[in-house]
Amino acid sequence: MAQRIAVYPGSFDPPTNGHVDIVLRAARLFDRVVVGVGTNVSKRTLFDTDERIELMRGACAPFANVEVRAFDGLTVEFARACGAGFVIRGIRALSDFEFEFEMANMNHQLAPELEMVYFMTSPEYLFLSASRVKELVAFGAAVDRFVPANVAKALVAHHGKDGLRTGATEAKD
Ligand code: ADP
């Protein structure tokens, strides 16, 4: 039987427990999950692509059927390149819904064979976003309970090095 492969695209700047929760749930549902770490040039990120990939790989290490790759360009093309039939996204609030609804319609025009699959956030992660995490760190607050241990370590190291450039990250997440 053909493998059910899903891609989970995002910025993951940095990965949070909310992202990892989606990966875990998707890994139970699909044979393989390919996390796509976007290298979208229009967004300034705190961590560069290689760092975000490494952080996501560390966070996903417990899941045997999950791999992490960089991707550049259209999600539908990334999905095709991975041989995936499904694209996963997470939904927290109505604002996520509007954005995702628009993207889903566009993706459907581009690749009608792809199925978009949405995971409702687990309640404990409803208000968790990468942006809020970066803000907290910038103000010196501990973020251990919001991100995987490897990410917390990287954030502290970054903060210590040159402070967090939270203002530079306008991206929705
Ligand atoms: P993007 O910039 O493509 O939105 P993100 O890294 O911000 O990338 O998010 C990737 C996906 O994870 C999105 O579908 C987003 O809605 C979802 N997501 C982010 N945080 C959470 C969370 N706390 N709970 C559920 N889904 C989330």
Side-chain angles (χ1 to χ4, degrees):
M1 217 175 84
Q3 279 210 325
R4 295 170 82 83
I5 303 171
V7 293
Y8 177 32
S11 317
F12 307 112
D13 184 43
T16 67
N17 289 343
H19 294 133
V20 177
D21 179 60
I22 301 290
V23 174
L24 165 73
R25 291 160 62 195
R28 290 190 190 128
L29 203 61
F30 296 98
D31 297 313
R32 267 181 61 211
V33 176
V34 185
V35 178
V37 175
T39 59
N40 186 344
V41 283
S42 69
K43 282 186 182 182
R44 271 203 63 189
T45 53
L46 176 66
F47 292 103
D48 66 27
T49 307
D50 289 343
E51 289 172 319
R52 286 180 287 128
I53 289 174
E54 196 187 318
L55 291 174
M56 203 49 171
R57 283 203 177 126
C60 295
F63 316 125
N65 59 341
V66 176
E67 68 175 287
V68 180
R69 289 192 205 165
F71 92 98
D72 194 1
L74 292 175
T75 296
V76 296
E77 284 177 3
F78 177 62
R80 280 180 180 145
C82 294
F86 306 89
V87 177
I88 293 162
R89 298 281 292 173
I91 304 248
R92 284 160 296 185
L94 267 184
S95 51
D96 277 348
F97 176 80
E98 271 189 57
F99 178 82
E100 297 298 339
F101 192 55
E102 193 190 312
M103 284 300 294
N105 281 294
M106 180 53 75
N107 286 342
H108 185 72
Q109 306 281 329
L110 298 173
E113 76 281 8
L114 272 182
E115 197 62 62
M116 304 290 300
V117 178
Y118 298 94
F119 286 83
M120 292 297 155
T121 184
S122 298
E124 60 270 42
Y125 305 127
L126 182 57
F127 297 107
L128 179 53
S129 73
S131 301
R132 294 291 87 77
V133 165
K134 285 181 280 194
E135 268 173 23
L136 284 175
V137 176
F139 289 114
V143 291
D144 308 59
R145 81 187 109 139
F146 302 122
V147 296
N150 65 323
V151 175
K153 218 171 130 195
L155 281 166
V156 168
H158 210 293
H159 188 48
K161 199 169 62 189
D162 56 9
L164 290 187
R165 302 184 295 272
T166 46
T169 311
E170 244 78 82
K172 163 210 167 283
D173 66 6

